[in-house]
Amino acid sequence: MRRLLRAAVAALPMVLAAGDWRAATADETIHPVWMKVDAAAKSVSLDIVAGWNPNNGALNFDGYYKGDATVVVPVGWKVHVAFRNNDGMLPHSLLVTKP
């Protein structure tokens, strides 16, 4: 039982690091820490890190893989993407598409 509890406690920081989860008020939208939204300026900044953690053999973006994260931006908004590759074993790229 102690070994199982230690494993669960050790895994907790990895789970919590996958997103910035906090309570939101009724009029507030939760955004992950890698997304900065400026509604007044109609802009969004994304900090995308390839190989962010060991998920999917480090083949991930900010820990997400296999389509787990989709960012939809309103028409007419400006988007700034800062892209960094933390995976020392493999080069990564990022593609932005229309739906």
Side-chain angles (χ1 to χ4, degrees):
M1 182 66 169
R2 284 185 181 168
R3 181 180 290 171
L4 180 60
L5 182 58
R6 265 185 289 207
V9 170
L12 184 60
M14 259 182 29
V15 172
L16 293 177
D20 180 25
W21 307 112
R22 58 184 173 80
T25 62
D27 61 339
E28 182 181 31
T29 302
I30 297 176
H31 300 287
V33 296
W34 48 266
M35 179 187 297
K36 304 292 185 235
V37 177
D38 185 345
K42 294 185 177 181
S43 69
V44 61
S45 296
L46 307 172
D47 184 20
I48 308 296
V49 180
W52 185 76
N53 65 14
N55 287 351
N56 197 40
L59 296 174
N60 65 73
F61 296 91
D62 292 327
Y64 297 96
Y65 60 98
K66 291 188 179 179
D68 287 344
T70 301
V71 176
V72 179
V73 179
V75 173
W77 279 42
K78 292 182 180 179
V79 179
H80 175 264
V81 178
F83 180 73
R84 185 174 73 240
N85 183 17
N86 274 3
D87 186 348
M89 302 294 290
L90 184 66
H92 291 269
S93 59
L94 179 70
L95 176 68
V96 178
T97 67
K98 291 182 180 181

